[in-house]
Amino acid sequence: MSVEQLPRTLWWEDGAVHMIDQTRLPLQGDILVCNTYEGVIVAIKTLAVRGAPAIGAAGALGVALWSHTQGAEFDQTNDDYLAAAQIACDELATARPTAVNLPREVNRLRALIQQHVAAGDLTPSELSELLIAEAHSVMQQDEAANRKLGAYGAELFDGPTKFLTHCNAGSIATTYYGTALGVIYAAQQQGKVEHVWVGETRPVNQGGRLTAWELLFAGVPAQLICDNMAAFVMGEGLVDAVVVGADRICANGDTANKIGTYGLAILAKEHKIPFYIAAPSTTFDLSLADGRTIEIEVRDSREIEGVTVSGTFDATTPAVSAAFDKMTAEGPAELPMTKGHHMQIVRKGGGYAFDAWFKTTPTHVTCFNPAFDVTPAKYITAYITERGVITAEQIPELM
Ligand code: MRU
């Protein structure tokens, strides 16, 4: 297996946006088909598509999809068209708040709409074709940037290296190839990967479910650890470099990334281990001087309160399929359990796929669930980008 055999993250096909449903990986390789831009928004909010560059691409495809499916309802020279387009763009751009790639790519397509509506030079279907082509450019540029930054990153390492990474900054977090994992894939091709430690990344387990799956798929030697084991492996001398991705990098280098990244950066400094952020230029936000004003997404506490198990019942077993049909006939099945706990089973699509959520914490416990944290620039050794490996001081000049 090699990285080049990894599936595509998302694509345009038959007038709809298709994507791998990442909520169900690695158990199921389901393809989610979004026929409306509202469907793309749900996919972004529910993490079916996730990772900063991937949601940027999804946002761009979402704008194209709005134009393709709903834009034709309006006279394009009329103000109504622009007003409706603005609403769709606003909803897409704000589906998640922390990664800058999402508003950046949506606004890239929004600007095209504004330009051509003002000029009145295209029919609705011509404009929609143009937007689909632009969304494809977003995706091609992202993949090219990832391959380039991966090559720059691999040059940082001289020989067999023991890496640690967090969350999933891999191929499926981008259009293709990945950022932090792009560096590791490029290093692997040069025989420079001795080992990769993958942090599980509670609460949604992007490391345990997605990064571990990607690295095994690509034939990279990797082992999973719980997040609270990072200090131990660093202390034992088992980590040579930490490489993670980013959701938004400010002008001074402060970097928002998956919750837990900040702690890893402090640990790396204490153990004198270099700490790298791998990200394309589209993840830099020079409009923010520092990380204090980055909006941190706070997600549903149910991600911490319980666990979700995904699966598909064997429809060839009549007793099981009949029981499942009955249980979910009127929507999600709420099954009461002892001590006030409950289990919820949600049917996925029209088939026998399901998500079952079990509450594992005390009934009345409350949780705080910030999805990202901000690592101050002083903990970051360098930023691996498609324009080269740069320091925080070089960001205003090169990004
Ligand atoms: O909540 P997620 O899974 O979208 O968070 C993703 C991350 O934090 C990634 O590390 C980041 O987006 C970089 S992806 C190349």
Side-chain angles (χ1 to χ4, degrees):
M1 283 297 196
S2 99
V3 58
E4 304 299 340
Q5 289 163 299
L6 278 164
R8 290 265 145 198
T9 310
L10 73 175
W11 63 95
W12 179 272
E13 187 182 322
D14 294 335
V17 177
H18 291 57
M19 59 184 70
I20 300 176
D21 184 349
Q22 298 192 33
T23 62
R24 301 176 66 72
L25 283 175
L27 297 174
Q28 305 272 133
D30 294 357
I31 307 297
L32 190 66
V33 181
C34 302
N35 293 301
T36 63
Y37 84 93
E38 291 96 335
V40 175
I41 291 172
V42 172
I44 293 171
K45 285 182 191 284
T46 57
L47 310 183
V49 59
R50 36 113 346 248
I55 62 173
L61 285 166
V63 178
L65 185 58
W66 173 82
S67 162
H68 183 76
T69 55
Q70 294 170 41
E73 291 168 16
F74 299 92
D75 174 354
Q76 197 209 299
T77 54
N78 189 305
D79 286 347
D80 289 350
Y81 182 96
L82 194 55
Q86 297 284 27
I87 290 170
C89 288
D90 289 345
E91 288 175 10
L92 281 158
T94 56
R96 293 186 75 192
T98 305
V100 71
N101 304 62
L102 178 56
R104 180 189 297 277
E105 307 302 6
V106 168
N107 291 341
R108 175 169 162 174
L109 271 70
R110 186 202 302 260
L112 272 184
I113 295 176
Q114 287 167 333
Q115 178 192 329
H116 288 285
V117 168
D121 56 351
L122 297 179
T123 64
S125 74
E126 284 169 343
L127 180 53
S128 146
E129 288 307 312
L130 186 75
L131 294 169
I132 294 166
E134 190 71 3
H136 280 113
S137 295
V138 166
M139 294 197 284
Q140 280 152 9
Q141 286 164 10
D142 180 56
E143 179 178 345
N146 297 335
R147 289 184 184 276
K148 213 163 169 190
L149 74 84
Y152 279 127
E155 284 173 20
L156 289 167
F157 310 102
D158 294 330
T161 303
K162 300 184 282 293
F163 293 94
L164 186 146
T165 192
H166 186 59
C167 192
N168 173 267
S171 189
I172 54 173
T174 65
T175 298
Y176 205 69
Y177 202 71
T179 57
L181 294 196
V183 171
I184 289 171
Y185 294 139
Q188 161 87 347
Q189 274 163 356
Q190 298 170 17
K192 293 178 179 172
V193 178
E194 183 178 330
H195 197 79
V196 183
W197 297 106
V198 179
E200 197 177 26
T201 319
R202 280 279 291 149
V204 187
N205 291 319
Q206 290 95 333
R209 293 187 303 108
L210 307 175
T211 298
W213 171 78
E214 264 198 38
L215 292 176
L216 288 178
F217 196 105
V220 178
Q223 262 180 313
L224 192 59
I225 52 171
C226 298
D227 299 321
N228 51 7
M229 297 171 186
F232 178 81
V233 291
M234 287 186 191
E236 293 292 303
L238 299 174
V239 180
D240 300 321
V242 179
V243 188
V244 296
D247 288 85
R248 193 183 290 249
I249 305 170
C250 301
N252 75 338
D254 290 354
T255 297
N257 190 48
K258 179 53 54 190
I259 191 80
T261 303
Y262 178 24
L264 286 175
I266 295 170
L267 288 175
K269 186 154 196 155
E270 172 66 21
H271 291 91
K272 300 188 174 41
I273 296 167
F275 185 92
Y276 297 107
I277 297 290
S281 53
T282 49
T283 303
F284 287 76
D285 179 4
L286 299 198
S287 75
L288 297 186
D290 59 49
R292 283 175 296 181
T293 49
I294 297 177
E295 185 180 346
I296 299 295
E297 177 183 6
V298 175
R299 292 186 62 82
D300 194 324
S301 62
R302 284 163 49 107
E303 290 178 353
I304 302 180
E305 284 171 28
V307 291
T308 299
V309 179
S310 301
T312 303
F313 285 117
D314 180 359
T316 61
T317 314
V320 172
S321 48
F324 187 55
D325 283 340
K326 195 169 166 202
M327 194 163 55
T328 56
E330 288 171 13
E334 295 281 347
L335 305 182
M337 297 164 76
T338 57
K339 300 201 181 243
H341 281 208
H342 72 281
M343 175 177 155
Q344 185 188 57
I345 297 184
V346 181
R347 189 168 198 152
K348 293 288 206 116
Y352 289 88
F354 67 91
D355 283 344
W357 181 80
F358 300 84
K359 188 166 167 59
T360 54
T361 47
T363 314
H364 298 298
V365 76
T366 61
C367 304
F368 176 46
N369 186 15
F372 301 94
D373 58 26
V374 177
T375 301
K378 67 178 180 181
Y379 293 107
I380 298 167
T381 310
Y383 304 78
I384 304 169
T385 80
E386 79 275 25
R387 298 181 191 166
V389 178
I390 65 171
T391 60
E393 292 69 34
Q394 293 174 294
I395 291 173
E397 172 203 342
L398 294 174
M399 289 296 138

